[in-house]
Amino acid sequence: MSTKRIACITGASAGIGVATAHILAANEFDLLLIARREDKLALLADTLYKQYNCNSLIRILDVRNRLDVTQTIEQLPEGWKGIEVLINNAGLASGLAPIEKGDIDDWDVMIDTNVKGLLYVTRNVTPLMIANGKGHIINIGSIAGKEVYANGNVYCATKHAVDALNKAMRIDLAQYPIKVTAIHPGAVETEFSIVRFHGDAERAKTVYTGFENLVAQDIAEAIWFALSRPPHININELTIMPTAQPIASVIHRKA
Ligand code: NDP
Ligand code: 8X3
């Protein structure tokens, strides 16, 4: 087992999770990579080893499954229990519909993943951090956790919950001392909109046309900024928007 610091990234198979894995691997972390798609995680682990000599442990896990989350963390090899950084990133929007027409299955998926899944992982990882006497949790929220927009109802509610949990965790965990930071992005082009629109890639593309959206690397760099501050500094939260998106519901697009 190497002596590098260990970070756990949920939602490591795409988008912001992949970009964060690269930046942490480049900064001498070994990585516990969590998501449901095994092929994507295996490919990422291989790339990280070749590019950065980073050791990865991949775990195929649906964060909505409480029992599986507990077992996965409990059954980590001893050398991997020293998790110092947790990136709570796994999450999604499913659908975009007014409250009276929303699909209740979409609502369940978002609440179970974005809120309950984040809690299950956090509940199982924080005791390891406390035992190790240090830690830093990065919660990936959203501008949707700061504002609400038409048809975003339940997704916005889940991200407001992440915002509240981020503040609450910080109060509870500062004594150990464990840092807690939220990163709240605006529009980042990833698989996010393809997932939101249930695989409709053409509709997803329209979300990002006519303006310069953020890319996953922009968010990974902000995460690294928060992680690389000295021990006495905690970045409580950062809201990061495309310049053309001053608030959640306004995007200045060129014709
Ligand atoms: P992607 O769809 O590209 O990536 C989402 C990741 O979450 C994937 O790795 C996916 O892996 C994982 N995931 C989803 N559901 C589960 C689950 N039940 N169990 C385990 N892993 C899961 O989107 P982004 O990278 O954009 O999203 C990352 C985070 O950033 C999310 O929390 C999102 O809400 C947030 N965000 C995104 C913004 C954007 O505009 N893109 C803006 C603001 C916040 P797999 O499918 O393999 O399980
Ligand atoms: C994703 C950004 O604006 O679609 O969280 O809610 S937004």
Side-chain angles (χ1 to χ4, degrees), residues 49-118:
Y49 185 72
K50 285 179 183 146
Q51 283 190 20
Y52 314 101
N53 203 24
C54 165
N55 296 301
S56 300
L57 185 68
I58 64 177
R59 286 293 178 262
I60 311 312
L61 176 65
D62 186 330
V63 297
R64 292 173 294 177
N65 190 320
R66 177 177 163 178
L67 204 61
D68 286 354
V69 172
T70 299
Q71 281 178 355
T72 298
I73 302 301
E74 270 178 9
Q75 292 169 7
L76 285 175
E78 271 317 306
W80 284 88
K81 287 193 173 166
I83 297 169
E84 198 176 317
V85 167
L86 169 62
I87 313 288
N88 271 328
N89 167 70
L92 78 171
S94 193
L96 184 68
I99 201 80
E100 75 280 9
K101 291 187 182 149
D103 181 330
I104 295 175
D105 287 336
D106 280 340
W107 295 358
D108 282 344
V109 169
M110 291 187 279
I111 293 166
D112 290 350
T113 310
N114 300 356
V115 184
K116 293 169 74 180
L118 179 143

Side-chain angles (χ1 to χ4, degrees), residues 11-17 34-37 61-64 89-92 113 140-142 155 159 185-188 190-192 195 208:
S13 61
I16 293 168
I34 289 175
R36 293 166 300 177
R37 285 172 292 175
L61 176 65
D62 186 330
V63 297
R64 292 173 294 177
N89 167 70
L92 78 171
T113 310
I140 306 301
S142 171
Y155 178 67
K159 290 299 185 176
V188 189
T190 60
E191 294 178 10
F192 177 85
V195 172
Y208 308 106

